[in-house]
């Protein structure tokens, strides 16, 4: 059978994040994070659950690393829980927390798995939220102290650093929509938060480089290609705005273009930014944010199709992109759209000339569980991954410098405000027994990794 082979140095991995898998929420001196506070607040999490125990990875990391090795993962992207290291956000260091990550990193290296560390995957120490959270510039300064500490301790062994995971989600779902911790609904504050997240990133880059010689340093953003639902000017404008809100607001300043002028104008018109623009952007900030990095991490799940709500439906042109078919959606209600990954990678390559890209997350939530034989035949996930790997291969063939791929997620885990209702794992987790069962998608993924290739035809089992 014909194979689509990936470049020799291509890296295959899987990703998780601290709050979603670790549990041990108050073990060994860990401080409180905004996600502890949020999930412990009644009504915030759909199934009433918390990350208190999650996959209990804090206690089961040894067997989890063994499983990664058995699957043949070449790299593992995980995040560090800031309040496990600095329970108060800064100051007093919790040695037990540092030791946990040191042991984990050592075990990974021993297993031949490259650790890829995300410093911040949304679990801000609650004390720092109490001090103003990301809308406070001081929190960005404190992030750099945290980055300095962690990279001094782990920088000899960890050579791949991601400053932030998805600053769009942190800023806008955390501070504008309030669907995620800290649950604030204030768009003006969210815009300030987005700037401070980017600033913290830019300040941390040279610190990480200094403490971790030879390391690759980057940031991970979540991006969605935006397609207008019809060729009307209204939908085109809705797509422009959404693209600016989600994609360009982060990409433009990271790649030296400053914040997009059309978005500043939109936000001024809506009253979220004052007439003078962005007074919280100080002299030199934009240079800091544009500090060159070694790679961009991209999280891709789906595209966005934009239909204007500024005019009545009858005034707009008929849709040419239909509403997505529920049969083509994952359990999150997200459209399965692999061409979007190709389009996105091509755009990053041509519009931003990015030197190196990793897919740091891509995957799908489907609830398929073990059958009577204990086998999880998650064919929809397997096909989802197959289609997206194939799209990535196409982009590489077209010249995109894509260097690796991290499936989201290694485990079923705590999916934020959706609790345990959504299962993204290639490994099934039974939350009562903590048993792990690699799903058929994981078995198939192992073969992809081993051959560094996907087949030209849709795989069957
Ligand atoms: C991304 C997050 C990750 C997970 C997936 C489904 O936005 O980075 O933690 O929740 O979505």
């Amino acid at each position: 059978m014909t194979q689509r082979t990936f470049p020799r140095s291509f890296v295959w991995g899987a990703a998780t994040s601290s709050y979603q898998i670790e549990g041990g929420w108050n073990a060994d001196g860990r401080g409180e994070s905004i996600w502890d506070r949020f999930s412990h607040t009644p009504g915030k999490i759909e199934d009433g659950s918390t990350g208190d125990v999650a996959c209990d990875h804090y206690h089961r990391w040894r067997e989890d690393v063994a499983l990664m090795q058995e699957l043949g993962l070449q790299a593992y992207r995980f995040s560090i829980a800031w309040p496990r290291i600095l329970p108060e956000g800064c100051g007093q260091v919790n040695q037990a927390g540092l030791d946990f990550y040191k042991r984990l990193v050592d075990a990974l290296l021993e297993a031949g798995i490259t650790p890829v560390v995300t410093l911040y995957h949304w679990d801000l120490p609650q004390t720092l939220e109490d001090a103003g959270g990301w809308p406070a510039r001081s929190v960005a300064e404190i992030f750099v102290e945290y980055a300095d500490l962690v990279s001094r301790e782990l920088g000899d062994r960890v050579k791949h650093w991601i400053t932030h995971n998805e600053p769009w989600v942190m800023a806008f779902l955390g501070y504008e929509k309030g669907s995620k911790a800290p649950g604030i609904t204030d768009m003006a504050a969210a815009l300030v938060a987005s700037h401070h997240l980017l600033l913290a990133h830019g300040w941390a880059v040279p610190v990480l480089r200094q403490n971790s010689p030879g390391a690759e340093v980057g940031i991970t953003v979540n991006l969605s290609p935006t397609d207008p639902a019809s060729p009307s000017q209204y939908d085109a404008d809705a797509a422009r705005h959404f693209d600016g809100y989600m994609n360009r607001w982060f990409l433009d300043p990271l790649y030296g273009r400053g914040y997009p002028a059309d978005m500043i104008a939109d936000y001024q018109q809506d009253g979220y930014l004052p007439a003078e623009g962005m007074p919280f952007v100080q002299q030199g900030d934009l240079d800091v944010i544009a500090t060159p990095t070694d790679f961009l991490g991209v999280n891709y799940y789906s595209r966005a199709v934009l239909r204007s709500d500024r005019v009545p439906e009858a005034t707009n042109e008929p849709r040419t992109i239909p509403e997505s078919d529920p049969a083509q959606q994952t359990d999150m209600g997200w459209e399965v759209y692999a061409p979007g990954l190709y389009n996105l990678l091509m755009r990053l390559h041509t519009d931003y000339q990015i030197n190196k890209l990793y897919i740091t997350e891509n995957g799908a939530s489907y609830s398929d569980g073990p059958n009577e034989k204990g086998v999880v035949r998650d064919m929809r996930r397997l096909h989802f991954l197959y289609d997206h790997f194939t799209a990535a291969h196409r982009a590489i063939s077209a010249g995109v410098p894509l260097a690796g791929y991290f499936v989201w997620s290694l485990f079923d885990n705590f999916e934020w405000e959706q609790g345990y209702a959504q299962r993204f794992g290639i490994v099934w987790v039974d939350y009562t027994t903590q048993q792990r069962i690699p799903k058929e998608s994981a078995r198939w993924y192992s073969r992809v990794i081993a051959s560094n290739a996907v087949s030209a035809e849709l795989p069957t089992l």
Side-chain angles (χ1 to χ4, degrees):
M1 204 200 286
T2 340
Q3 296 272 305
R4 298 198 171 101
T5 303
F6 284 75
R8 205 189 298 269
S9 58
F10 201 75
V11 175
W12 296 102
T16 62
S17 88
S18 46
Y19 189 72
Q20 293 179 276
I21 66 161
E22 282 180 5
W25 76 285
N26 58 4
D28 304 333
R30 178 182 174 284
E32 188 190 15
S33 83
I34 56 175
W35 271 97
D36 298 306
R37 181 69 63 91
F38 193 74
S39 70
H40 291 166
T41 306
K44 297 292 186 192
I45 310 299
E46 278 168 31
D47 60 1
S49 65
T50 69
D52 289 4
V53 177
C55 305
D56 198 29
H57 172 74
Y58 183 70
H59 299 110
R60 294 167 193 265
W61 58 275
R62 234 181 253 285
E63 73 172 89
D64 290 342
V65 173
L67 180 57
M68 292 178 219
Q69 191 176 21
E70 182 196 319
L71 293 175
L73 295 188
Q74 296 168 341
Y76 173 51
R77 172 178 178 238
F78 64 97
S79 77
I80 293 197
W82 185 343
R84 216 182 265 298
I85 307 269
L86 292 158
E88 301 289 319
C90 55
Q92 190 65 43
V93 176
N94 180 36
Q95 191 57 41
L98 272 176
D99 290 345
F100 167 69
Y101 294 108
K102 281 187 179 169
R103 283 194 294 263
L104 175 63
V105 164
D106 285 346
L108 288 166
L109 291 172
E110 229 165 89
I113 300 166
T114 303
V116 177
V117 171
T118 306
L119 285 170
Y120 184 69
H121 200 126
W122 313 343
D123 40 4
L124 188 73
Q126 181 62 41
T127 47
L128 297 182
E129 182 54 39
D130 296 341
W134 286 106
R137 195 175 167 100
S138 55
V139 169
E141 289 163 2
I142 295 169
F143 173 81
V144 185
E145 291 174 28
Y146 159 63
D148 182 36
L149 171 69
V150 174
S151 56
R152 267 190 283 116
E153 296 285 341
L154 296 177
D156 56 339
R157 287 165 270 193
V158 172
K159 295 295 176 187
H160 295 80
W161 297 94
I162 295 169
T163 53
H164 290 302
N165 178 70
E166 302 190 350
W168 179 83
V169 171
M170 187 63 237
F172 294 107
L173 301 188
Y175 292 93
E176 178 208 356
K177 309 271 192 228
S179 54
K180 287 189 159 59
I184 288 165
T185 49
D186 178 346
M187 179 56 166
L191 288 169
V192 184
S194 68
H195 178 63
H196 291 155
L197 283 155
L198 286 171
L199 191 60
H201 155 77
W203 276 332
V205 170
V207 174
L208 294 167
R209 287 226 176 93
Q210 159 115 35
N211 293 340
S212 185
E216 285 190 6
V217 180
I219 184 171
T220 279
V221 289
N222 58 306
L223 303 170
S224 262
T226 44
D227 293 337
S230 84
S232 79
Q233 69 189 67
Y234 308 112
D235 292 348
D237 195 56
R240 173 200 60 80
H241 181 83
F242 192 81
D243 179 51
Y245 169 62
M246 188 170 205
N247 303 322
R248 289 182 290 120
W249 193 254
F250 295 89
L251 290 169
D252 281 11
L254 283 170
Y255 289 93
R257 302 178 187 177
Y259 289 100
D262 62 317
M263 296 310 296
I264 296 177
D266 283 6
Y267 293 143
Q268 285 174 315
Q269 202 174 2
D270 293 340
Y272 300 132
L273 287 177
E276 70 267 32
M278 301 174 71
F280 48 87
V281 178
Q282 298 183 10
Q283 199 168 8
D285 283 4
L286 291 174
D287 291 334
V288 169
I289 293 170
T291 302
T293 51
D294 301 292
F295 65 87
L296 180 73
V298 176
N299 292 355
Y300 173 73
Y301 288 94
S302 193
R303 68 170 166 181
V305 177
L306 277 300
R307 186 69 170 160
S308 175
D309 56 10
R310 293 196 177 210
V311 288
E313 189 64 29
T315 314
N316 208 338
E317 287 180 32
R319 290 182 75 114
T320 44
I321 299 183
E323 304 274 2
S324 89
D325 171 1
Q328 289 305 314
Q329 291 171 5
T330 68
D331 288 355
M332 292 290 276
W334 296 347
E335 183 190 10
V336 177
Y337 192 66
L341 177 59
Y342 173 80
N343 297 340
L344 173 63
L345 290 170
M346 293 307 288
R347 178 193 184 186
L348 292 170
H349 182 48
T350 48
D351 286 7
Y352 293 93
Q353 286 97 40
I354 297 169
N355 47 351
K356 191 174 199 172
L357 291 156
Y358 289 98
I359 304 295
T360 41
E361 287 179 27
N362 172 246
S365 169
Y366 290 116
S367 57
D368 312 273
N371 63 18
E372 59 297 338
K373 293 194 187 115
V375 175
V376 186
R377 283 182 59 90
D378 58 336
M379 293 307 287
R380 292 173 298 174
R381 178 175 296 99
L382 192 159
H383 288 160
F384 178 100
L385 293 174
Y386 171 79
D387 286 341
H388 287 78
F389 292 173
T390 303
H393 186 272
R394 220 176 117 215
I396 295 170
S397 305
V400 172
L402 183 67
Y405 209 115
F406 294 79
V407 170
W408 184 272
S409 178
L410 177 60
F411 298 121
D412 292 333
N413 59 42
F414 179 78
E415 179 48 37
W416 309 111
E417 70 272 27
Q418 318 239 19
Y420 297 99
Q422 300 289 340
R423 290 181 177 267
F424 275 89
I426 54 172
V427 174
W428 173 270
V429 175
D430 177 330
Y431 295 111
T432 44
T433 61
Q434 290 296 345
Q435 192 193 354
R436 278 85 160 119
I437 306 175
K439 303 177 188 179
E440 290 304 292
S441 59
R443 298 290 178 209
W444 169 79
Y445 187 37
S446 289
R447 297 195 289 275
V448 170
I449 298 172
S451 61
N452 195 33
V454 287
S455 56
E457 296 93 44
L458 194 66
T460 48
L461 285 181

